[in-house]
């Protein structure tokens, strides 16, 4: 881990390494030609708006509980409701918000619908968040 002259971790250097862009075609963090990364400058208003909306989804305890319940597994609404101590109606409402934000995905299994985290990014955001608040 990089350190500054007083021996503490260099937070700026860490942040820059985390924010390195791989210039993936179609990536929202790159300009139209894919050769300039928005992390080199302030992202455009649309990206900032989308990011703020994403973080708003994380601003509800029930939704956070649902995301943690889904870490590493698929669950139906009834099992999620039991795990987060909420009604199935409340869980269904929150799942709709999480689906709209592309944080969870679902798969039909006959009459049942099983939910899981949409991808590893959601897991990473949750893991980083819990690490941050527990420090």
């Amino acid at each position: 881990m990089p350190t500054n002259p007083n021996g503490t971790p260099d937070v700026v250097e860490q942040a820059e390494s985390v924010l390195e862009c791989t210039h993936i075609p179609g990536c929202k963090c790159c300009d139209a030609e894919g050769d300039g990364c928005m992390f080199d400058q302030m992202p455009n208003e649309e990206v900032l708006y989308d990011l703020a909306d994403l973080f708003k989804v994380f601003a509800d305890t029930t939704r956070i509980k649902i995301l943690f319940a889904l870490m590493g597994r698929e669950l139906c609404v009834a099992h999620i409701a039991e795990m987060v101590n909420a009604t199935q109606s409340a869980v269904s409402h929150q799942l709709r918000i999480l689906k709209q934000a592309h944080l969870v995905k679902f798969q039909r299994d006959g009459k049942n619908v099983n939910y899981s985290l949409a991808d590893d990014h959601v897991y990473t955001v949750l893991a980083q968040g819990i690490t941050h608040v527990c420090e």
Side-chain angles (χ1 to χ4, degrees):
M1 177 176 296
T3 59
N4 59 27
N6 66 7
T8 60
D10 187 341
V11 177
V12 173
E13 195 169 321
Q14 286 176 336
E16 287 173 351
S17 69
V18 168
L19 296 177
E20 287 178 10
C21 179
T22 57
H23 302 297
I24 300 167
C27 174
K28 282 187 163 184
C29 80
C30 297
D31 65 18
E33 291 78 40
D35 57 1
C37 182
M38 278 199 233
F39 293 133
D40 295 337
Q41 59 188 355
M42 182 66 68
N44 70 39
E45 289 296 318
E46 181 183 348
V47 171
L48 292 172
Y49 183 82
D50 290 346
L51 183 60
D53 276 349
L54 175 66
F55 284 125
K56 286 177 190 176
V57 175
F58 286 99
D60 180 88
T61 307
T62 302
R63 288 192 290 265
I64 295 292
K65 287 179 182 179
I66 291 169
L67 292 171
F68 271 101
L70 293 174
M71 287 181 85
R73 62 182 153 217
E74 285 187 358
L75 295 170
C76 67
V77 173
H79 289 138
I80 296 169
E82 186 178 316
M83 289 182 75
V84 302
N85 196 26
T87 65
Q88 288 187 30
S89 175
V91 168
S92 292
H93 173 74
Q94 298 302 338
L95 283 167
R96 184 172 63 249
I97 293 168
L98 292 168
K99 283 190 298 188
Q100 289 172 343
H102 306 287
L103 296 175
V104 298
K105 61 184 178 181
F106 66 95
Q107 181 175 348
R108 291 198 179 276
D109 183 21
K111 291 184 178 182
N112 293 324
V113 178
N114 293 313
Y115 293 87
S116 61
L117 296 181
D119 56 39
D120 290 339
H121 295 112
V122 181
Y123 184 93
T124 301
V125 169
L126 292 170
Q128 288 292 320
I130 200 73
T131 300
H132 180 77
V133 299
C134 290
E135 286 182 341

